[in-house]
Amino acid sequence: MTTAPAILPQWAQVLDTDDFRPRGRLTPQAPLGPRTWFRVGGAAELLFQPASAEDLAQVMKRLPLEVPVLPLGACSNVIVRDGGIDGMVIRLARGFSTITRDGDGLVVGAACLDMTVAEHAAEAGLSGLEFLAGIPGSIGGAVAMNAGAYGSDMSAVLDWVEVVTRDGRLLRLPAASLDFGYRHATLPPQSVVVRVRLNAMVAPPAIIRQRIDEIRTAREAAQPVRARTGGSTFRNPAPDESQRKAWELIDAAGCRGLTVGGAQISEKHCNFMLNTGNATAADLEQLGDTVRQRVHDHTAVTLRWEIKRIGRPATHRMGESA
């Protein structure tokens, strides 16, 4: 027996007419769990995988402004809640994965994985981007959250970013306009990063590769990189809040190895949560909130989530109020 194809939501009918059809792929009720590092979560009401920046701009221009838009990258630092995501989720793919040398830097598509960019820079003899080898995820997400590790972050290497705005404009914004902070960048609301320029310095490829190897080795030794995880769960507290890092606070509160359902705090690095095999998004979020409460009870420090929690709990269906 064949299954009837999913039907576009009523608000998306404008994206499939005799006058206009996107070149990219529209998928109603697209499961998102298999696309996330945690392997949990519900479906997108509509998933759009654009073929190009122009294709994305045309869709954004036609989409009713009241429809929410959410870009997702490699989904390495998100929990998609079990009830799914209303509106349109945008996932960039092949048309956004080119890397070209531009003088002493690289122009990079937003879908490129951070590790791939670090490797490409090494091949080109460009130094300063090695830290990307220690960050799971894609370049678009790295810009949006000012991702950083091993002594550097995106604010230190970004020259400009190109975004498609919610009303369908393609803009190039200088890095100085993004108001970078700790794990934060100010982008136009509901805009989608499509391309960036990263600055670097010429250096011998062998030295660059040695640094990348050092970062890989350090990361694999300290983090559960081969598990179903999502990177650092909580931000490190500001110096005026605590002199200890998040993992130290979590450990001191007795949370190493703590479990809720199929979710567990890593024994290897206790600022990482794991899906041990059958966790739900609700398990992971409850575990994180339990850790936050225990840390606060033990130290009076309130940990702030670094992982993004998006979508609706399983008790809500699309179209209902949260």
Side-chain angles (χ1 to χ4, degrees):
M1 183 177 71
T2 59
T3 303
I7 300 172
L8 288 178
Q10 185 173 2
W11 51 261
Q13 301 297 321
V14 295
L15 305 180
D16 187 12
T17 68
D18 291 338
D19 296 328
F20 175 76
R21 284 187 175 85
R23 292 170 50 221
R25 184 177 180 183
L26 293 169
T27 308
Q29 295 301 315
L32 294 176
R35 302 171 190 269
T36 73
W37 282 40
F38 275 120
R39 299 294 191 270
V40 299
E45 189 174 4
L46 181 66
L47 175 67
F48 178 45
Q49 296 166 282
S52 65
E54 293 74 20
D55 188 35
L56 174 59
Q58 289 299 315
V59 166
M60 295 278 263
K61 187 181 299 183
R62 286 168 171 77
L63 194 68
L65 287 175
E66 63 269 19
V67 176
V69 167
L70 179 68
L72 287 181
C75 295
S76 59
N77 71 323
V78 299
I79 296 172
V80 175
R81 293 184 175 117
D82 300 306
I85 298 177
D86 287 338
M88 187 168 74
V89 170
I90 296 169
R91 186 86 182 271
L92 305 184
R94 294 180 183 176
F96 302 86
S97 58
T98 58
I99 303 174
T100 57
R101 181 162 183 170
D102 182 37
D104 60 353
L106 296 175
V107 175
V108 179
C112 292
L113 295 179
D114 300 332
M115 171 58 81
T116 302
V117 176
E119 291 282 0
H120 196 99
E123 291 177 8
L126 294 174
S127 177
L129 303 177
E130 295 91 331
F131 75 97
L132 290 170
I135 302 175
S138 59
I139 288 296
V143 170
M145 69 172 294
N146 189 23
Y150 300 96
S152 191
D153 60 22
M154 290 301 293
S155 70
V157 299
L158 185 73
D159 282 334
W160 51 254
V161 57
E162 288 180 347
V163 302
V164 173
T165 64
R166 181 61 183 83
D167 57 359
R169 292 173 295 150
L170 179 61
L171 301 180
R172 178 176 292 184
L173 306 173
S177 71
L178 302 190
D179 190 26
F180 280 117
Y182 179 71
R183 302 296 175 261
H184 171 78
T186 302
L187 293 163
Q190 299 188 75
S191 63
V192 182
V193 174
V194 293
R195 197 168 67 137
V196 307
R197 187 188 189 277
L198 306 175
N199 62 66
M201 301 169 289
V202 175
I207 294 177
I208 301 171
R209 286 199 171 279
Q210 180 180 357
R211 177 56 179 155
I212 289 176
D213 289 343
E214 290 171 354
I215 288 173
R216 276 178 169 166
T217 300
R219 182 167 173 256
E220 290 188 5
Q223 301 174 9
V225 296
R226 304 190 189 284
R228 294 182 180 182
T229 185
S232 296
T233 305
F234 303 107
R235 301 179 181 188
N236 287 323
D240 61 341
E241 296 174 308
S242 175
Q243 296 301 310
R244 290 189 286 181
K245 293 184 177 180
W247 76 264
E248 294 174 304
L249 295 168
I250 294 167
D251 204 16
C255 296
R256 186 182 293 269
L258 184 67
T259 62
V260 170
Q264 181 184 39
I265 295 298
S266 171
E267 296 272 7
K268 189 172 188 178
H269 190 313
C270 52
N271 197 21
F272 282 68
M273 291 195 298
L274 311 177
N275 175 0
T276 61
N278 62 346
T280 63
D283 290 341
L284 290 163
E285 194 164 10
Q286 183 181 343
L287 176 60
D289 286 337
T290 300
V291 168
R292 293 179 74 236
Q293 185 63 56
R294 291 194 181 187
V295 167
H296 185 269
D297 292 345
H298 187 74
T299 66
V301 175
T302 300
L303 292 176
R304 294 187 294 276
W305 285 90
E306 185 165 317
I307 287 177
K308 308 294 184 185
R309 290 102 57 230
I310 54 178
R312 294 181 176 275
T315 53
H316 292 282
R317 292 176 298 180
M318 291 180 182
E320 293 181 340
S321 299

